[in-house]
Amino acid sequence: MKPLSTLAITTLASAFFCVGIAQAQDYDLVISNGRVMDPETLYDSIANVGISDGRIVAISKEALSGAEEIDATGHIVAPGFIDTHFHWQQPMGYALGLRDGLTSSMDLEEGCAGTFIARWYEEREGKNQANFGCASSHEQARAIVLDGFDDEETLLLGPAAALTSRKGSGWSLDKADYDTGNKILQIIDEGLQAGALGIGSTLGYMRDGVTTRELFEVQKIGARYGRQTAVHTRFTPDGDVLENVGAQEVIANALALNAPAILQHFNNPGWRLTHELIARLQENGHNIWGEIYPYSAGSTTVNAVFLKPENWVERQGHRYEDTMQDPITGDFYTQEKYDQVLKDNPTQEILLFKTPPEDSVKWLTLRGTTMASDAMFAEPLMAPWNTPFEKLGNMHPRGAGARAATLRLGRENDIPMMQLLSILSYNAAHHLGRTGLKAMQERGRVQEGMIADIVVFDPETVADNATYDHGSIPSTGFKAVIVHGEVTVRDDELLEVFAGQPIRFEPEDKPRFESVSEDAWNREFSTGMPDVAPGVPPQGGN
């Protein structure tokens, strides 16, 4: 056998090298011929997307090959949707969200008790179909301290714990003194130390118990970590004056503390001023943002303090017969039914009609906001992920259809698609990313190097099917929903794939909690105040 010439060796080596390159360019998954849209860079073009090891590796006009392929011809390829206000953090809740394009499901309002944050994340690791995250709960810290609520199994449910813990009253009505207030703050701090995404405060449900000083101290805890406090503001829902006063309370605290903040579901009377405040703050570089959802009705529990007849009926002029609906029977409440349900089942969910339906479309046009659904629960609460949807009890339709409703209403009213994708994904990722949250710095975008959380949908047919009468019907029109590079929904079918990742901060070795006291305040803010003139008002007052 003759030895190979130098030229032959070079030719063979070149051929082998080229084959190696071709093999290296084969991807785990390729999305072909879709309209790729990225809200951060405003990229909008027909292209192919190559995905490997859970990340977007290539976006190219050239053909790509992969082990798996999705033909996205006629479809939009967009960042997976992100919801920062999704309460049903259980398997069936994630399932309904995924069918609606939701790849990252977080609860930054109710949250989870700080002492259980670490275990809450551990229980979902490797078992979730969607990405998941939670805030450290102001409300549940108060329930633990002021009501003595200590049911571990319930508290591990996270946001759903409120269905039980709210049956007490201390969490809502009792004012904290220095001793109990510090215990509340310490629990919240423990959650942040464990990696919680921020602080969730349902202040509007605790307006009579939480003083203005307490809310300031709560936001101060978040500020020490550089994390946002998300607040259901003090007077939500109410008239336009008090709605905006509640927003200004949170904003003033955030500015004084140089801290991020979320004004939750400000789609209520006065929303134009609230949005202008937020927009001007953002123009000046402040990391403060707000949420909307495209429905004229909200959902809450019967024992919400703002539904008391002296407030809802006598002061605000509403009627239960026009505004408060039983989602199971479809019947509207009367005063008599309200009194009876409040006595028998105080955490019964209701639908609450509170804003003009025509405003729903207007909210979707607001720049710099996020679409956060405020998704509630259906029964059975702990249903397995593959439970037939028709076997679920009724719920507010926003849990199953808020994202597709956004896309449908945008289609029907000529709202630019890039605006819709921004409020569905990028805006939340952008603002949370600014707090240092790496998981959100790498999501909400279709760019090379980013995590492959992606939705592929037909812009002409995508639709929400959930209604107030049948709120748990999943959306349709999704060719694929991809979580961390794995196809989890294909052609509107949820697959047995559990690729969900934790959305959290790295746990810290030490707490950042600092005890609150009059002496400490006097030392910091006075030149030597006499004991007879305390530096802050008693915790019993505002």
Side-chain angles (χ1 to χ4, degrees), residues 402-413:
R403 285 142 291 277
T406 297
L407 295 171
R408 174 183 58 80
L409 288 168
R411 178 175 67 234
E412 294 171 355
N413 294 277

Side-chain angles (χ1 to χ4, degrees), residues 267-459:
N267 43 298
N268 287 295
W271 58 268
R272 280 187 169 85
L273 176 56
T274 300
H275 180 64
E276 183 173 347
L277 291 171
I278 293 170
R280 292 183 182 277
L281 288 164
Q282 290 179 354
E283 288 170 3
N284 287 302
H286 298 291
N287 195 16
I288 296 173
W289 69 102
E291 306 171 349
I292 54 87
Y293 54 75
Y295 296 90
S296 60
S299 183
T300 186
T301 54
V302 169
N303 65 344
V305 293
F306 47 78
L307 294 178
K308 291 180 178 180
E310 58 266 31
N311 181 64
W312 191 250
V313 179
E314 297 168 19
R315 189 179 70 81
Q316 294 194 49
H318 298 297
R319 287 173 9 113
Y320 293 133
E321 292 85 351
D322 300 326
T323 59
M324 190 185 299
Q325 187 179 30
D326 186 325
I328 305 302
T329 66
D331 297 331
F332 278 81
Y333 274 60
T334 62
Q335 178 72 59
E336 292 73 25
K337 180 173 181 178
Y338 170 81
D339 292 337
Q340 191 63 50
V341 176
L342 186 63
K343 177 183 176 182
D344 296 340
N345 187 12
T347 58
Q348 173 67 49
E349 290 183 34
I350 59 156
L351 300 176
L352 188 67
F353 292 84
K354 55 189 175 63
T355 52
E358 59 269 22
D359 282 354
S360 299
V361 174
K362 300 172 185 175
W363 299 325
L364 299 178
T365 69
L366 301 179
R367 292 188 292 268
T369 59
T370 65
M371 199 301 293
S373 67
D374 197 0
M376 294 293 282
F377 316 98
E379 291 294 338
L381 176 68
M382 299 302 295
W385 69 272
N386 55 357
T387 301
F389 297 106
E390 60 272 15
K391 291 189 176 181
L392 297 175
N394 200 21
M395 58 188 284
H396 192 299
R398 64 195 183 189
R403 285 142 291 277
T406 297
L407 295 171
R408 174 183 58 80
L409 288 168
R411 178 175 67 234
E412 294 171 355
N413 294 277
D414 296 322
I415 301 174
M417 180 59 72
M418 199 66 85
Q419 160 69 9
L420 301 177
L421 298 181
S422 294
I423 66 175
L424 286 169
S425 62
Y426 171 68
N427 290 352
H430 167 73
H431 288 293
L432 287 173
R434 284 187 62 188
T435 70
L437 183 60
K438 185 178 180 182
M440 283 292 112
Q441 294 169 351
E442 300 180 322
R443 289 179 168 87
R445 304 152 172 92
V446 181
Q447 299 171 23
E448 292 180 0
M450 294 294 165
I451 292 174
D453 289 347
I454 294 174
V455 291
V456 182
F457 62 90
D458 186 338

